[in-house]
Amino acid sequence: MARIFCIANQKGGVGKTTTCVNLAAGLAAAGQRVLLVDLDPQGNATTGSGLDKRALKKSIYHVLVGLSTVADTRIRAEEAGYDVLPSNRDLAGAEVELVDLERRENRLRDALAPHGNDYDFVLVDCPPSLSLLTLNGLCAAHGVIIPMQCEYYALEGVSDLVNSITKVRANMNRDLTIIGLLRVMFDPRVTLQQQVSAQLEEHFKGKVFQTVIPRNVRLAEAPSHGLPGVVFDRNAKGAQAYMAFAREMIDRIKTS
Ligand code: ADP
Ligand code: MG
């Protein structure tokens, strides 16, 4: 059965999409069958996987409002090595339409339900908000991966997200757990980052992934080539770290 994970953090620019795309490619390179669900109207995970978001006939928007199915909407990202439920600006209007629909928080969960055997991992790239779209991600998922930068305000942001996840678990999705916090864009030369990193380990203990993703320009360059960093330059430090993270995820799944 596919394990479904949301990559979430209500802050923008913290590395959600980079993590989603590179974890997907890392898992695919390790022989896993992966579906990436782009839940952000910005469609960065779609373009970062090598797909043209302006040329989509159907997108995740159509799936969520019931105009299409997962089977008719998913696209193979050939070079990246996984399937994508793509997104573009059409999704920006979905929020308003969803409000009036039945099971509005469970539209993604219901759409994915027939595909449990198609994939080993489903990764959901969430928008930078705690919106109805993100709620659809959280209601569909078994777990949440929280990418974060080791900055002064990071802990505050994470506690808001943890509270929201606790509420979703209590009221809507009893399966939901926090799989872990992933330290990204890490620069070990910055003392503050080391301090926040140590605080995270102390506070969240086993919930902090061992793998740390360094700041690495090759990861930032990759999307403009329509490739995950892991595929664009697999020997770069950032790519190697995301490969290690993919292996850590595979191990976690075995033991959970
Ligand atoms: P989000 O999806 O949370 O908004 P992104 O993944 O789009 O965040 O990342 C924000 C910016 O930071 C992007 O320009 C991305 O290329 C860059 N970035 C992300 N991770 C790294 C990294 N480890 N090293 C260097 N740049 C990174
Ligand atoms: Mg993003």
Side-chain angles (χ1 to χ4, degrees), residues 116-139:
N117 292 322
D118 297 359
Y119 301 101
D120 300 303
F121 286 87
V122 176
L123 302 179
V124 183
D125 188 29
C126 288
S129 61
L130 293 170
S131 60
L132 193 46
L133 287 172
T134 298
L135 205 51
N136 263 271
L138 295 176
C139 286

Side-chain angles (χ1 to χ4, degrees), residues 208-224:
V208 182
F209 289 110
Q210 272 173 10
T211 310
V212 177
I213 311 295
R215 184 171 282 285
N216 177 243
V217 69
R218 300 299 270 170
L219 288 173
E221 289 167 354
S224 66

